[in-house]
């Protein structure tokens, strides 16, 4: 553990790499100057840490402002990372050299890939994480990141200045004012304050404002945002109580063991820090009619479920499960909170019942008959800090169950680079945009960090298209459609699910991250390049090997190749059969296939590529169409409400005005925007470009050309 | 002089219609043969596209009617894309393409049957000097719905061609740097015509029986897909009920059968010539053949005063009020005496299975069966004495006609036009004939995709097959976003953290 609070307010990053110009802020420097950074990140949650390190990786002098350094890396809700869809996001964060995947590979206590039998496109990498280890490892990483400075402090307000004329937006952010009145200037500011805007904790009928006692950091900031005209919505979320490990009778419950071997999250790791046999199990139990009864009899004591605040369509709490799906048994996963933790996290039991009823309900569940619900100590109840997961950071062993209600900013007010339309150089990432989950927050953090940095160096934004990654789907959904419930990643949201797989996130994003964003290390880049060329070579070799099906039968007797045709069968087609892998294929045709089995990852990835080959061919056609539309950029300063040159209905104008889509592709995904409107917009774009080209050297056309080039590059 | 000899001495035995003895039923059968044409298997490859997002695959060659939608002297059908030249060669049965950008007169024929469609002007615009910048062909054909739909069908049967989505021509033109000409008057109208009219037309067609079917299929498929998606996204962490996949599987297989049957029916229709089917039925000696001859203006049937002269079903393609119509004359509805006549009656019944329907529909006064529209025509009105009693007042709605004098023919033609317009779409407001190729294309695409659904293997692949299939159906019905899927998932399953 790092105990940094005693070490003074400023914690400079790694002093080991002295070639980086570090900002000297300590009191030994002569005249006190107003500090100036390239990028300031406000908030040290999952979005904030990724944003700060991404900006620093891109070469920006970055300041991470957080309430308390010792809560950096806090997993404030469930003790797990990944899952179906979320695991995909983590692989993409890792492909951009983000932190969370690598930290998870060092901190997990139970690694398991979900959906093993459903196809590699939907495998969900997941792990139970030791909270303490994660925090430790994350803090070590953060505090050793070159160019990154960490400071404790609460932000009271933004410093706003005149807007840059060449960009849209009312004004420009140029720094922050801290609670103590001091100021810090920066070229870009990223807000990752989670549920901290007007957060309220709900327990039973009690409501408490969230935020540290004595601190009222959110007031000034929230007011400023409101004054600027940001549209705010309200969401709610919750967390379950924790249970003392030694009070649970595990012997009568279903035990789930981890995978052997463990699959690491990061492309850079071949294995995780802990052997499978040393990992901890999870257990499964179920609710019963008694649980229903307690919920239903006590609804009057439960303001969280009664409130009209929009909750998700899915069932986040045991109350909503019982109300919407009565007379059923609901699963409760009992998950370890860490190697040496005495606590168990009952996944599936989020609730906001008054504390005495929580224990009553829990003890009627099988295996939990004698369960001890760990009660929070009285002081902490009012102290918890809001974390970006929408929950309160349970520092130490705070384990209260509660609901949280909080403000979020309608994400249609930000661009796909996560910069706000209203305020230049101000970026939002994480739960503030209406998402839920560590992974969703981390994914936005990386993108915000990269773009805040690119903005400083006046480079074009780094936007991930929905054809390139789950990150792209997440951000495109948020920025074009908005959300009215905490947005969570599902694979069903992804049109090109078979193309955007966990296994190939590096090919999709690492190369671009290196070239377009500069956020990827040389080593990772070279590894991805090697993998890409090896895969391409392997696939073309597999395509070139052709035998008759009878010969294949002799070579690999265990596979029943359909002999409906007398045409020769490619090795690639044989590899499509479930019972064939690269090893068996290389045994049959050692030359030239043997060398592709030496790297296990390569062999596995070739198998996956073969599985999806024919479908991917068709999907690529459609991806091209979407990318063409996305390469057609709409002018940023277009005023949809008043513009005369475009024939648009009033309804369409309002929709476009609010979402401000950046490309024709994004515009066409806004519900209610008709094909005719799209064509008219297209015509407008083309004529605008033409007029500008005639007037000068036309930067816009250049940009479109660049986009077109990039498009071709991306089509691998 | 054909039916002068008709005499009332053999009154038919339909008592309640006895005042006017001869009686002709006209049955318009709603058969949409061109909705139903099977594309050659080669063309399916290009139909296989991924899920919902309406992304015009730029590789395909698209075609559409690009002149106005009403009745007009000349209609222009346009193609754009790499297979345009090939399509032109196939339709003109020529080895060489005509000289570029020159109008040439060519005989267009259906590549499957070899049947001539029209003598038309064709123009070949090799890219990039064309409207869209791609290879384009224009067919200037004679503007009747029969010709237009015939050429569209023929194009749909060429591998690599598919009907254009709304606005797709214009979008391609933009994409290729064409059409920067804001100064061109009426471009907005053109865009509007191409997008909104196509969209409205597609929607209008969905009001009918087929639209009802499509929506039902799309609903079933969306639900099945949502359940498979739920199984993928939540199957491991949340407890879904047992048998989610099995249920989805059953529904998908049932849908496959229904779609298959629909398309097979369609293929049966293909053997008939394109157009609505008008069957003339009625008791012997009612003057059916006379009516057919009157409508087709040429003697098709042998006409004589003897009951039972027509012993076979005669089919005549005619143009009625601009609609392609297959006019059938049937032998009289009486138990024939001779074996030849019996056979004729049997074939008449078989050919349209009309008998029961006719009676039932007429009796109910409202032909509830929308696939069969009936016009009750009472012939030989010339025999009514002006001062005598008129037709019985309890008769269903009917038309009076005299094939002998031609009196009432205009009324009959107008009534026919209305019925045909209801079946085929009114040419003055846009004909669904033009969108049938789309229906065919997407239904077949849906069926093909469903055949790739194998839940036992890689479930992500299986779900992809359903996504593609749903993408095809929702092109016809609208909708199709992922939010619909999520709505169903969260409605049907208890999932969450």
């Amino acid at each position: 553990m790092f105990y940094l609070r005693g070490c003074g307010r400023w914690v400079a990053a790694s002093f080991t790499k002295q070639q980086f110009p570090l900002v000297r802020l300590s009191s030994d420097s002569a005249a006190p100057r107003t500090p100036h950074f390239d990028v300031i990140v406000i908030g040290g949650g999952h979005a904030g840490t990724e944003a700060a390190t991404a900006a620093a990786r891109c070469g920006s002098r970055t300041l991470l402002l957080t309430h308390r350094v010792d809560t950096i890396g806090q997993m404030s809700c469930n003790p797990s990372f990944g899952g179906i869809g979320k695991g995909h996001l983590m692989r993409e964060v890792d492909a951009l050299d983000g932190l969370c995947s690598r930290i998870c590979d060092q901190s997990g206590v139970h690694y398991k890939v979900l959906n093993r039998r459903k196809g590699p496109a939907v495998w969900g990498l997941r792990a139970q994480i030791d909270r303490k280890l994660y925090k430790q490892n994350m803090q070590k990483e953060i505090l050793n990141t070159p160019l990154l400075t960490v400071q404790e402090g609460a932000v009271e307000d933004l410093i706003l200045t005149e807007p840059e004329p060449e960009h849209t937006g009312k004004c420009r952010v140029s720094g922050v004012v801290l609670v103590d009145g001091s100021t810090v200037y920066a070229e870009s500011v990223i807000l990752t304050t989670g549920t901290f805007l007007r957060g309220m904790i709900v327990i039973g009928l009690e409501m408490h404002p969230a935020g540290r006692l004595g601190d009222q950091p959110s007031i000034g900031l929230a007011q400023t945002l409101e004054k600027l005209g940001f549209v705010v919505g309200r969401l709610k979320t919750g967390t379950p109580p924790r249970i003392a490990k030694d009070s649970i009778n595990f012997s009568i419950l279903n035990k789930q063991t981890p995978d052997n071997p463990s699959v690491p999250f990061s492309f850079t790791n071949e294995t995780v820090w802990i052997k499978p046999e040393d990992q901890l199990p999870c257990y499964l139990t179920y609710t019963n009619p008694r649980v229903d009864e307690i919920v239903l009899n006590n609804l009057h004591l439960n303001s969280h479920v009664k409130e009209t605040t929009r909750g998700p369509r899915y069932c986040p709490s045991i109350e909503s499960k019982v109300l919407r799906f009565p007379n059923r048994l609901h699963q409760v996963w009992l998950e370890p909170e860490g190697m040496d933790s005495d606590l168990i996290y009952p996944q599936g039991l989020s609730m906001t019942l008054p504390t005495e009823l929580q224990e009553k309900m829990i003890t009627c569940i099988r295996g939990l008959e004698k369960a001890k619900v760990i009660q929070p100590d009285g002081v902490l109840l009012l102290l918890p800090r809001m974390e970006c997961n929408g929950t309160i950071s349970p520092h130490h062993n705070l384990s209260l169950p509660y609901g949280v209600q909080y403000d979020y900013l309608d994400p249609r007010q930000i661009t796909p680079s996560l910069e706000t339309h209203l305020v230049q150089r101000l970026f939002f990432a994480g739960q503030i945009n209406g998402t839920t989950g560590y992974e969703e927050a981390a994914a936005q953090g990386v993108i915000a960090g990269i773009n805040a940095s690119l903005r400083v160096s006046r480079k074009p934004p780094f936007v991930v298209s929905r054809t390139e990654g789950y990150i792209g789907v997440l951000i495109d959904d948020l920025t074009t459609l908005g959300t009215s419930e905490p947005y969570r990643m599902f694979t069903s949201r992804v049109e090109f699910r078979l193309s955007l797989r966990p296994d190939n996130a590096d090919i999709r994003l690492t190369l671009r991250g290196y070239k377009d964003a500069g956020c990827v290390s040389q080593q990772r880049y070279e590894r991805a390049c090697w993998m890409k060329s090896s895969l391409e070579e392997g696939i073309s070799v597999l395509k070139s090997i052709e035998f008759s099906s009878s010969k294949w039968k002799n070579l690999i007797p265990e596979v029943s190749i359909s002999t409906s045709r007398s045409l020769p069968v490619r090795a690639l087609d044989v590899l499509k059969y479930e019972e064939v892998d690269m090893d068996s294929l290389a045994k049959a045709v050692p030359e030239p296939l043997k060398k592709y089995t030496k790297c296990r990852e390569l062999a596995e990835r070739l198998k996956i590529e073969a599985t999806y080959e024919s479908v991917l061919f068709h999907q690529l056609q459609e991806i091209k169409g979407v990318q063409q539309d996305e390469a057609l950029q709409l002018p940023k300063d277009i005023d949809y409400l008043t513009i005369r040159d475009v024939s648009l209905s009033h309804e369409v104008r309002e929709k476009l005005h609010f979402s401000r889509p950046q490309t024709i592709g994004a515009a066409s995904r806004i519900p209610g925007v008709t094909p005719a409107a799209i064509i008219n917009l297209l015509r407008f774009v083309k004529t605008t470009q033409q007029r500008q080209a005639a007037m000068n050297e036309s930067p816009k056309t250049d940009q479109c050309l660049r986009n077109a080039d990039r498009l071709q590059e991306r089509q691998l | 002089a054909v039916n002068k000899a008709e005499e009332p001495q053999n009154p038919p035995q339909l008592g309640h219609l006895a005042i006017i003895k001869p009686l002709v039923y006209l049955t318009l059968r709603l058969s949409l043969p061109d909705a139903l044409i099977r594309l050659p298997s080669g063309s399916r490859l290009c139909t296989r596209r991924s899920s919902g997002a309406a992304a015009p695959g730029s590789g395909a060659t698209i075609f559409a009617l690009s002149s106005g939608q009403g009745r007009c002297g000349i209609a222009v059908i346009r193609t754009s894309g790499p297979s345009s030249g090939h399509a032109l060669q196939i339709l003109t049965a020529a080895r060489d393409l005509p000289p570029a950008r020159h109008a040439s007169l060519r005989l267009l024929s259906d590549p499957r049957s070899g049947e001539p469609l029209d003598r038309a002007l064709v123009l070949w615009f090799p890219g990039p000097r064309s409207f869209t910048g791609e290879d384009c062909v224009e067919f200037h054909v004679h503007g009747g719905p029969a010709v237009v739909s015939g050429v569209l069908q023929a194009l749909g049967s060429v591998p690599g061609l598919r009907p254009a989505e709304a606005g797709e021509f214009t979008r391609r033109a933009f994409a290729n740097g064409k059409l920067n000409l804001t100064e061109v008057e009426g471009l907005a109208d053109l865009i509007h015509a191409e997008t909104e009219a196509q969209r409205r037309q597609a929607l209008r067609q969905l009001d009918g029986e087929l639209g009802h079917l499509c929506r039902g299929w799309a609903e079933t498929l969306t639900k099945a897909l949502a359940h498979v998606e739920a199984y993928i996204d939540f199957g491991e962490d949340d407890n879904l009920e047992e048998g989610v996949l099995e249920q989805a599987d059953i529904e998908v297989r049932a849908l496959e059968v229904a779609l298959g049957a629909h398309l097979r029916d369609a293929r049966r229709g293909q053997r008939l010539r394109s157009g609505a089917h008008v069957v003339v039925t009625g008791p012997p000696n009612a003057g059916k053949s006379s009516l057919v001859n009157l409508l087709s203006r040429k003697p098709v049937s042998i006409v004589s005063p003897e009951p039972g002269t027509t012993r076979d079903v005669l089919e005549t393609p005619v143009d009625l009020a601009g609609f392609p119509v297959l006019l059938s004359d049937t032998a009289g509805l009486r138990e024939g005496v001779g074996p030849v006549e019996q056979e004729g009656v049997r074939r008449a019944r078989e050919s349209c299975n009309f008998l029961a329907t006719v009676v039932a529909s007429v009796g109910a006064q409202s032909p509830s069966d929308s696939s069969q529209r009936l016009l009750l025509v009472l012939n030989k009105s010339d025999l009514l004495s002006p001062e005598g009693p008129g037709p019985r007042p309890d008769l269903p709605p009917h038309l009076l006609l005299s094939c002998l004098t031609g009196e009432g023919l205009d009324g009959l033609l107008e009534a026919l036009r209305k019925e045909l317009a209801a079946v085929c779409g009114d040419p003055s407001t846009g004909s669904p004939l033009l969108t049938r190729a789309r229906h065919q294309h997407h239904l077949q695409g849906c069926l093909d995709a469903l055949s790739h659904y194998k839940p036992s293997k890689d479930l992500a692949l299986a779900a992809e097959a359903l996504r593609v299939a749903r993408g095809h159906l929702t092109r016809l019905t609208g909708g199709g976003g992922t939010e619909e899927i999520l709505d169903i998932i969260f409605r049907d399953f208890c999932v969450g953290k």
Side-chain angles (χ1 to χ4, degrees), chain B residues 48-103:
Chain B
R48 177 126 165 79
R49 310 177 58 176
S50 260
S51 48
S58 45
T61 300
I62 52 173
F63 64 90
L65 177 73
S66 53
S67 57
Q69 308 269 332
R71 285 189 76 185
C72 48
I74 298 290
V76 179
I77 293 166
R78 200 155 51 178
T79 74
S80 174
S83 302
S84 289
H86 179 63
L88 177 57
Q89 285 168 310
I90 286 191
L91 259 67
T92 54
R95 206 169 296 160
D96 300 317
L97 288 164
R101 284 172 286 278
H102 280 86

Side-chain angles (χ1 to χ4, degrees), chain A residues 571-592:
Chain A
L572 190 68
D573 295 318
V574 177
L575 190 54
K576 286 175 186 170
Y577 286 86
E578 235 169 319
E579 52 276 44
V580 181
D581 58 15
M582 276 307 285
D583 285 334
S584 54
L585 207 56
K587 222 176 279 170
V589 194
E591 219 29 71

Side-chain angles (χ1 to χ4, degrees), chain A residues 353-365:
Chain A
L353 278 172
T355 28
E356 60 281 6
L357 285 168
Q358 288 166 15
E359 192 149 323
K360 192 174 162 197
M361 178 210 277
I362 284 171
T363 49
C364 61
I365 295 174

Side-chain angles (χ1 to χ4, degrees), chain A residues 16-28:
Chain A
T16 53
K17 304 203 174 176
Q18 287 297 331
Q19 70 268 33
F20 293 101
L22 285 171
V23 199
R24 296 290 176 185
L25 295 160
S26 50
S27 50
D28 59 39

Side-chain angles (χ1 to χ4, degrees), chain A residues 41-313:
Chain A
V41 178
I42 304 167
H46 299 284
T49 49
E50 295 290 355
T53 48
R57 283 199 305 278
C58 291
S60 291
R61 288 168 305 114
T62 306
L63 173 67
L64 175 62
L65 275 171
T66 175
H67 287 117
R68 290 171 49 167
V69 171
D70 67 359
T71 57
I72 289 177
Q74 182 88 46
M75 298 172 64
S76 44
C77 194
N78 49 318
S80 63
F81 253 94
I84 300 152
K86 289 167 176 274
H88 291 68
L89 284 174
M90 287 177 73
R91 294 285 280 180
E92 294 179 2
V93 168
D94 184 64
L96 294 170
D97 229 347
L99 305 181
C100 64
S101 294
R102 279 186 289 126
I103 306 290
C104 282
D105 286 345
Q106 301 163 26
S107 320
V109 292
H110 176 119
Y111 293 87
K112 188 164 187 68
V113 177
L114 305 181
N115 271 352
R116 265 291 186 200
R117 295 187 316 273
K118 296 176 195 166
V122 293
W123 284 348
L125 274 65
R126 187 193 144 99
Q128 297 303 132
I129 306 290
D130 183 313
R131 290 183 193 281
K132 222 167 76 186
L133 271 177
Y134 188 88
K135 198 154 94 173
Q136 264 177 29
N137 290 325
M138 179 58 90
Q139 289 180 6
K140 197 164 30 174
E141 182 80 31
I142 291 284
L143 297 171
N144 284 295
T145 301
L147 294 179
L148 176 60
T149 307
V150 181
Q151 184 193 347
E152 289 196 343
V155 173
E156 176 64 23
D157 208 350
L158 302 173
I159 302 171
L160 301 169
T161 48
E162 285 297 301
E164 299 163 277
E166 66 269 31
H167 289 278
T168 57
K170 270 189 197 175
C171 51
R172 166 190 170 175
V173 70
S174 56
V176 297
V177 181
L178 302 186
V179 150
D180 63 7
S182 61
T183 53
V184 187
Y185 285 94
E187 301 294 311
S188 298
V189 173
I190 306 174
L191 215 52
T192 70
T193 49
T195 57
F196 140 114
L197 294 175
R198 276 189 279 254
M200 295 293 283
I201 304 164
V202 190
I203 304 174
L205 294 174
E206 294 174 55
M207 283 182 108
H208 311 279
R212 277 205 308 174
L213 200 64
D215 288 349
Q216 293 194 315
S218 56
I219 304 297
L221 203 51
Q223 281 174 349
T224 303
L225 293 177
E226 212 160 27
K227 249 185 283 167
L228 284 166
F230 283 101
V231 176
V232 176
R234 204 149 170 85
L235 293 171
K236 64 181 182 183
T237 181
T239 185
R242 313 299 198 272
I243 299 172
K245 193 175 191 174
D246 54 13
S247 67
I248 299 174
N249 179 9
F250 290 113
S251 62
I252 55 168
L253 300 177
N254 297 331
K255 181 174 172 180
Q256 189 199 45
T257 52
D259 283 344
N260 188 2
S262 302
V263 179
F265 286 97
S266 174
F267 284 98
T268 56
N269 291 333
E270 296 206 343
T271 183
V272 300
W273 72 292
I274 186 173
K275 280 186 268 175
E277 53 269 31
D278 296 334
Q279 295 176 20
L280 301 173
C282 292
Y283 293 88
L284 178 61
T285 183
Y286 293 91
T287 65
N288 54 47
R290 277 285 296 144
V291 170
D292 288 27
E293 203 183 305
I294 291 170
V295 168
L296 295 172
N297 288 343
N298 294 289
L299 286 177
H300 59 288
L301 296 174
N302 202 332
S303 68
H304 201 53
V305 288
K306 285 192 295 191
E307 292 283 333
T308 49
T309 314
R310 293 280 309 261
R313 283 168 297 181

